[in-house]
Amino acid sequence: MSKAATSKECVAVVGIGQTKHVAARRDVSIAGMVREAARRALQDADLTWSDIDAVVIGKAPDFFEGLMMPELYLADALGAVGKPMLRVHTAGSVGGSTALVASNLVAARVHSTVLTLAFEKQSESNAMWGLSLPIPFQQPLLAGAGGFFAPHIRAYKRRTGAPNTVGSVVAYKDRRNALKNPYAHLHEHDITLEKVQASPMLWDPIRYSETCPSSDGACAMILTDRAGAARAPRPPAWMHGGAMRSEPTMFAGKDFVSPQAGKDCAADVYRQAGIADPRREIDAVEMYVPFSWYEPMWLENLGFAAEGEGWKLTESGVTELDGDLPVNPSGGVLSTNPIGASGMIRFAEAALQVRGLAGEHQVEGARKALGHAYGGGSQFFSMWLVGAEPPTT
Amino acid sequence: MTRDVAIVAFAQSDHLRRTDELSEVEMLMPVLHEVLRRTGLQTSDIGFTCSGSADYLAGRAFSFTMALDGVGAWPPISESHVEMDGAWALYEAWVKILTGDADTALVYAYGKSSPGELRDVLTRQLDPYYVAPLWPDSIALAALQAQALIDAGATDEPALAGIAARSRAAASDNPHAQLKGSVPPGDYLVQPLRTGDCPPIGDGAAAVILAAGDRARELCDRPAWIRGMDHRIEPHSLGVRDLTDSPSTRLAAERAGAFDRPVDTAELHAPFSSQEVVLRAALKLDDRVRVNPSGGALAANPVMAAGLIRLGEAAARIHRGESDRALAHATSGPCLQQNLVAVLEGES
């Protein structure tokens, strides 16, 4: 580190806004949808458009809506005219990465108050085929993300001896949690474990009810500095650490079950946040789980469980809303998946938990929470750890 | 925000009309190797990596993930991507270094326009409900802007032809340029713009390395210090903008400190001759400033890399001692909707 380095400015989340996520928002344009989330975030922070210094926006591939570089078209709707506007794209991790890029603007003291927003309006196209890269770039009939991830889940099961039931336990939990979250897409009031287990097999071992939906939705956050946080009408969430890590899509040494980039990213965040024992020190986790089996897999990757032990935490109920380490109290990606926004929703829900504003899905006494996102072929990771108190260092 | 950050190395590909035999990764790899070689750094020495590209050029989702494989991201790296011109990737990397989290950054950008019809592809940037369905292409939109300038008395067709001729002549000294030398004005593409007023369509890549403080001095004899950098966006709808002006460029320049002291060089991302007229006025550049000694975007316009190349070319002139204070500009969107300005200086 060079001598010229200055200490970073503290970053606080003072506003959060989401849309009610649904399969198709036919009542609004893309611009109308993102504006809805942004306005809710401004309202939460008791700020107006003129208080915003810069806008950082993210979404997953442009092909999902058939719109190239949508930040150009969305500048007006997001009050960005006359301001800096950045567009981040890091595949499925993009919502998290977008928030981190925005946080850097505050941490570096380039701007005081930044609006960050991520969205996807998947109803404008077909996400499954948007994710299926054309020949000759990939083998045909990969059929969306499930086709890519199923073999890695099978590898996890083989490696750890996890029983077949674990995936459905996660899905059943997340779908029940979603019932407590008014913004969640899937509200399956009649959900039972048996129904999850009886749902059709899509990509063995992934069943229909163990997959994420395709959602329309947006999530926005207002990030600000210490002075901005002091003016906030509601408790802020303080950023204690944030990091991104990437590794190649595929190479002989890659561990698709527990990628090194995920481990390194978590380790960096814990180091920044002074977390020595994540299992004990973190009160809630919003984890990117698009297919139910990724909960036990990421529990290990993120250091909450020893290798091969993640499924035991899940099976024992530790990750339930009233468990010792609630995972996805919001219902998670399994219940709501506007892809480009899903990572930011994880980050925002973690912040809601430590602000004590998560409503019915609030984890009692949550003081530190982790937001996690991943993307590509399990190759892009972004995470942040937020706390109810400002960082002490 | 008191850290000094500099561009310490720049490399670019030769810009070609088509590169059918090369994948994006193959086009990018020599550029990455070249920029690292210039500093002696390896991928594992880089603190942060950021890239700029757009899926729509290649016609497939997640095109940038393949480029990452080319970078050699193992062990895993701290990395990010903007779906924008690489100039904005450089901005993100600059901010990252300012936080103190990284001392060096690799920034790269690439664009292959040859797989598709660029004029059609760029219409997908427009308002998807009211404008894009009409398929107004990038040259037609630039022609609207050119005609507005002519109507306002800001320029005329011979003056535009003069800008094009000067740019292509300057590009004669640029081994990477796609169009150089005596290029005839040609016929109208969309009146009042002739072939000569428009950029070549081509494929290309570029990369720079940034470093902070003493690290920059170790890596480069004469670092190009970033004295300020800012970018601003304007309304999307052409109907609510004065196409003869660029308030976003002016504001970005002001915030970047461009008006504090005169610059000797300006690398402007003006794909159309008429856009140089707008930018010169917004940036208050007089005839003493050497504008686009590289030939600018009229000589080579690899979409998504052309803005980063402006920053790289300005920095390279400082590295070579040919400039002491240079302005670099990048643009995005129809008719200069979004603009970035950086001020670079060499230590005397």
Side-chain angles (χ1 to χ4, degrees), chain A residues 227-310:
Chain A
R231 289 191 294 267
R234 275 174 278 279
W238 295 92
M239 186 172 164
H240 289 228
M244 292 188 237
R245 284 295 184 283
S246 308
E247 67 182 43
T249 324
M250 42 189 89
F251 71 107
K254 183 173 167 103
D255 184 350
F256 278 97
V257 171
S258 189
Q260 188 64 38
K263 292 182 188 174
D264 291 0
C265 191
D268 191 1
V269 171
Y270 299 154
R271 178 190 57 77
Q272 292 172 39
I275 299 280
D277 183 351
R279 170 79 175 82
R280 288 183 190 285
E281 294 175 62
I282 294 173
D283 304 313
V285 185
E286 281 285 342
M287 190 187 274
Y288 204 102
V289 179
F291 303 101
S292 60
W293 278 95
Y294 271 87
E295 178 181 299
M297 289 165 74
W298 293 145
L299 281 171
E300 296 172 27
N301 190 248
L302 296 172
F304 291 107
E307 209 165 300
E309 306 282 314

Side-chain angles (χ1 to χ4, degrees), chain A residues 58-331:
Chain A
K59 69 177 290 312
D62 289 5
F63 285 98
F64 280 4
E65 287 85 5
L67 175 54
M68 181 184 186
M69 301 165 73
E71 73 278 5
L72 298 165
Y73 147 69
L74 291 173
D76 305 59
L78 290 173
V81 168
K83 296 174 186 175
M85 186 172 195
L86 270 171
R87 156 75 194 289
V88 179
H89 180 191
T90 64
S93 67
V94 64
S97 306
T98 304
L100 293 178
V101 172
S103 75
N104 281 340
L105 290 169
V106 176
R109 299 188 177 85
V110 174
H111 296 297
S112 301
T113 303
V114 178
L115 167 67
T116 186
L117 180 140
F119 76 96
E120 208 74 73
K121 201 163 188 294
Q122 291 186 206
S123 65
E124 307 242 344
S125 76
N126 184 320
M128 171 140 146
W129 297 111
L131 284 172
S132 303
L133 305 185
I135 307 163
F137 300 109
Q138 234 166 48
Q139 59 273 48
L141 296 178
L142 200 56
F148 183 85
F149 290 115
H152 310 315
I153 294 172
R154 291 200 294 274
Y156 174 78
K157 289 181 65 186
R158 261 201 311 279
R159 200 186 279 189
T160 64
N164 283 327
T165 47
V166 173
S168 45
V169 166
V170 175
Y172 177 51
K173 165 185 69 88
D174 284 3
R175 294 278 163 80
R176 274 181 294 133
N177 288 351
L179 292 171
K180 299 176 187 294
N181 175 3
Y183 294 108
H185 175 176
L186 295 184
H187 282 160
E188 297 180 329
H189 292 279
D190 54 351
I191 188 83
T192 63
L193 186 58
E194 292 67 35
K195 278 189 180 172
V196 174
Q197 286 165 341
S199 67
M201 189 64 83
L202 289 187
W203 304 273
D204 192 6
I206 306 172
R207 291 183 181 280
Y208 177 77
S209 290
E210 295 169 7
T211 68
C212 47
S214 270
S215 313
D216 283 1
C219 178
M221 288 192 285
I222 313 286
L223 307 182
T224 190
D225 53 16
R226 221 179 255 278
R231 289 191 294 267
R234 275 174 278 279
W238 295 92
M239 186 172 164
H240 289 228
M244 292 188 237
R245 284 295 184 283
S246 308
E247 67 182 43
T249 324
M250 42 189 89
F251 71 107
K254 183 173 167 103
D255 184 350
F256 278 97
V257 171
S258 189
Q260 188 64 38
K263 292 182 188 174
D264 291 0
C265 191
D268 191 1
V269 171
Y270 299 154
R271 178 190 57 77
Q272 292 172 39
I275 299 280
D277 183 351
R279 170 79 175 82
R280 288 183 190 285
E281 294 175 62
I282 294 173
D283 304 313
V285 185
E286 281 285 342
M287 190 187 274
Y288 204 102
V289 179
F291 303 101
S292 60
W293 278 95
Y294 271 87
E295 178 181 299
M297 289 165 74
W298 293 145
L299 281 171
E300 296 172 27
N301 190 248
L302 296 172
F304 291 107
E307 209 165 300
E309 306 282 314
W311 63 269
K312 294 177 187 166
L313 279 192
T314 295
E315 198 176 46
S316 67
V318 164
T319 60
E320 293 272 351
L321 184 52
D322 58 359
D324 185 33
L325 181 72
V327 174
N328 291 327
S330 68

